[in-house]
Amino acid sequence: MSAEPREGDTTAQTPVSGAATETITETPPEAPPGTPSEAPPDRPLIKNRDFQALWSSEAFAAVGKETAEIAYPLLILATTGSALYAGVVGSAQLITASVMSIPGGTLADRLDRRLLLVGCNLVRVALLALFSVLIFTDSTSMPVIFAIAVVSATCFGLSQPAGMAAIKALVPPSQLTQATAQNQIRYFGATVAGPPIGGALFGVARAFPFLAAAVSFLISSALLLLVRRPMQSAQSRAAKEKGGTAEGFRFLFKQPILRPLIIWIMGSNMAFTHSGVFLALIATAQGRGASESFIGATLAVAGLGGLFGSLVAGWVFRKVKPSVIVLCGAWIGPVVAILLAVVPGVIPLGVIVTLVFIRGPIISTLFLSYLAAVAPDKVQGRVLGAVFFMSMSAAPIGVFLVGAVFDLAGPTWVFITMCAISAVAALPTLTKRIRTLPAPEAVAV
């Protein structure tokens, strides 16, 4: 691999035709008082109060979302007894969030990102507070539950690109990967903490999970007010928005680094979507005679892999080349799928799947770091909206394939199908561009 430019390297010089060999040192003019610095000081990330306030805000929002999400199916099952209704609401939330991330990306580039985040939070505060009152008064129905869940998912889809796009404006290029890795801890920490909180509160009173989620979104809004720096660069705020919503997709597929990675990520999400993998494990474990508690332990082992991966992501980036991370992450998928097809027992399945879940936050961090590095701030939101749509839209297809193949041919063919899809999706990672990847900060614009 060729030598990569390092942060602070000033060896590259531009020759001036006809200039004498004398070195001239010119002192740059001082900026007028009150002029904001476009690049934040390169201090330790933990001391970057603006980024940490944004991270804390998004952490409360993520815990609130996960707390409410586990309570929707519990409420539906408790009031109607229909697993079908619960499945319909869950699918509608996923599809809505996926579709709304596209206009969400456009809004993140056109509007003040702080106002967009606060606005979406406050809409969910009002909705969930009202929903809690309806539950307390026994005034809920399936249409009401469906509407609340879908509108909440709409707010999530609209706000997600803005929260991610703001990172580039708050941290220096050398810390993009570190900041994105910290974001993964927030996400996977919320997926671990939210469901137990929601389940415990639901056991006390059915309305409590939704009331707690409303409080979390309110705290999230208050923390956003502590972010003092603009969440967009001065150039982005002054520039005219060009290209419309489709600009995000065009930019994504023009980039020689992002294009093969997003193609692989879509295929990997289709093969190893969280819900699809858990469905395959549950069905396989039941077929092998495992008890419900045994199945639960298997899923817990697998699910902890994501949290572990988010915790070690920063260390991995310091020790391993980006090209090695991508290649190992891409080809571990087909290997894991084959192991799932041939290894007997139940608990070993959870241990094997953990390998896939560990790589998830590491790969997400690397990809989002490249995106933040190469995409100008003025298109960050739209590119992120395109990414979220493409990555999330593959998940429902994967869940459907798992169910259909399992019913038609059994668990072995489910895992063989996963292997085939993940292997085909990983082929773009064999290109020279991916095998010689520079660090994200080396390609930052």
Side-chain angles (χ1 to χ4, degrees), residues 51-65 113 117-118 121 124 156 159-167 183 186-187 190 216-217 219-221 223-224 231:
F51 171 75
Q52 297 302 336
L54 173 65
W55 185 89
S56 300
S57 168
E58 293 287 270
F60 272 98
V63 171
K65 172 183 174 292
R113 290 168 184 166
L117 289 169
V118 171
N121 277 347
R124 287 186 281 190
F156 173 68
S159 63
Q160 190 180 24
M164 289 297 302
I167 294 176
N183 263 3
R186 178 201 75 208
Y187 170 76
S216 292
F217 288 122
I219 295 173
S220 174
S221 299
L223 287 169
L224 284 170
M231 293 187 183

Side-chain angles (χ1 to χ4, degrees), residues 146-159:
F146 184 87
I148 295 291
V150 168
V151 175
S152 295
T154 298
C155 291
F156 173 68
L158 290 175
S159 63

